[in-house]
Amino acid sequence: RHLSFLTLSSLFLQQMMYPQAISHGNVLTFTPPGFKQSLNVKFPDSRLAVCEKCKKNFKTRDMCRVRNNHTSAPWTTAYICLTLDDSCTDADGNYIDKPLTVRMVQWQPYQVKAPFDPKTPVCSACKKTNRTRSFCRDRHKHRHLPWCTVYVLLSALDAADPSTVVADPSKPVDEREDGEKEGDKDGSPANKGDGSATATSPGEASVAESKASSIDRENVRPNKGKSGGEESDE
């Protein structure tokens, strides 16, 4: 039993440090803070949780991410370590306005400057030895990234090796709505009116609704002044 446990632990550690993405799908579409493009991140097999709608309908990961190709935010927190190479910035250090691609890389021993929240998943070392979150994050203040973190490399599409590209290139944020409409035709639950599929959190959903309502008010306000059947409020 002890030998079988060590074998399973070594296999798990190998899959974590050297991720594989053999199956189709398992792509997450999101916009990092400060970016003007939505990125498509390819996750290793069976590592991306189902979206919120599929979670409510008790769908499996294979049904959500592989068969239906859902790319909206998962129902639980996903950890991504994004590394930018030199092709992502210009000579002045600003982000380039070109299509970007995201490729998976091996595990990296990165650490954060401030301690994690006690509810953060344990690091890879504590996951291997079956330690608790209290032992890892609260007692010993481990600052390594969570064991479930996906490590990716962001590069300009024209500077990346085509054989290593596993996901679609990035799109400007303004064109993201068109891509979501195309995803609806393929069975994707992206924005069908409930406002829960594409939002990563309830706070972002409320912000998106407030922005949409403000845009509608700006579009309707000039029409009220021109129409003769309605009087403007003073």
Side-chain angles (χ1 to χ4, degrees):
R1 293 180 180 178
H2 184 65
L3 180 60
S4 62
F5 175 76
L6 291 178
T7 304
L8 292 175
S9 299
S10 61
L11 290 176
F12 172 79
L13 184 62
Q14 184 178 4
Q15 292 178 358
M16 181 180 61
M17 298 183 64
Y18 305 98
Q20 294 181 355
I22 301 176
S23 62
H24 179 71
N26 292 316
V27 176
L28 173 63
T29 302
F30 75 105
T31 304
F35 277 70
K36 297 182 180 180
Q37 301 186 42
S38 59
L39 306 180
N40 297 310
V41 178
K42 176 75 172 180
F43 273 63
D45 296 340
S46 302
R47 291 282 297 274
L48 181 59
V50 299
C51 61
E52 294 182 0
K53 186 173 183 179
C54 289
K55 179 65 176 180
K56 296 178 181 178
N57 296 329
F58 303 98
K59 300 296 183 180
T60 61
R61 295 186 182 185
D62 183 76
M63 178 66 70
C64 175
R65 300 299 182 179
V66 180
R67 298 185 184 182
N68 294 332
N69 291 326
H70 292 174
T71 60
S72 55
W75 70 273
T76 186
T77 304
Y79 296 90
I80 301 175
C81 180
L82 188 64
T83 304
L84 282 69
D85 63 4
D86 296 336
S87 63
C88 297
T89 56
D90 54 15
D92 298 330
N94 300 321
Y95 295 130
I96 60 174
D97 191 11
K98 294 181 180 180
L100 304 173
T101 183
V102 180
R103 296 171 291 173
M104 289 190 304
V105 295
Q106 300 177 2
W107 174 85
Q108 302 292 332
Y110 291 145
Q111 294 187 13
V112 295
K113 296 181 179 180
F116 279 105
D117 185 87
K119 297 182 179 180
T120 306
V122 300
C123 61
S124 58
C126 290
K127 180 67 176 180
K128 182 180 178 181
T129 56
N130 199 22
R131 300 294 185 179
T132 61
R133 297 185 183 183
S134 176
F135 177 89
C136 176
R137 304 300 184 184
D138 192 12
R139 189 186 307 177
H140 293 277
K141 305 294 182 181
H142 290 174
R143 298 185 180 183
H144 284 93
L145 300 182
W147 67 271
C148 54
T149 303
V150 176
Y151 298 85
V152 295
L153 177 65
L154 182 63
S155 307
L157 182 62
D158 54 2
D161 185 4
S163 61
T164 60
V165 177
V166 294
D168 294 334
S170 62
K171 293 182 179 180
V173 178
D174 297 336
E175 297 180 2
R176 185 178 178 182
E177 296 181 358
D178 298 336
E180 290 175 349
K181 292 180 180 179
E182 294 178 1
D184 292 342
K185 298 179 181 179
D186 298 334
S188 173
N191 246 354
K192 291 188 178 181
D194 54 359
S196 62
T198 57
T200 56
S201 64
E204 293 185 4
S206 61
V207 172
E209 292 176 359
S210 62
K211 289 183 179 179
S213 60
S214 62
I215 293 175
D216 294 337
R217 288 196 297 269
E218 292 177 0
N219 294 335
V220 173
R221 194 174 296 140
N223 294 333
K224 288 184 179 181
K226 293 182 180 180
S227 61
E230 297 180 4
E231 295 181 358
S232 59
D233 297 335
E234 295 183 356

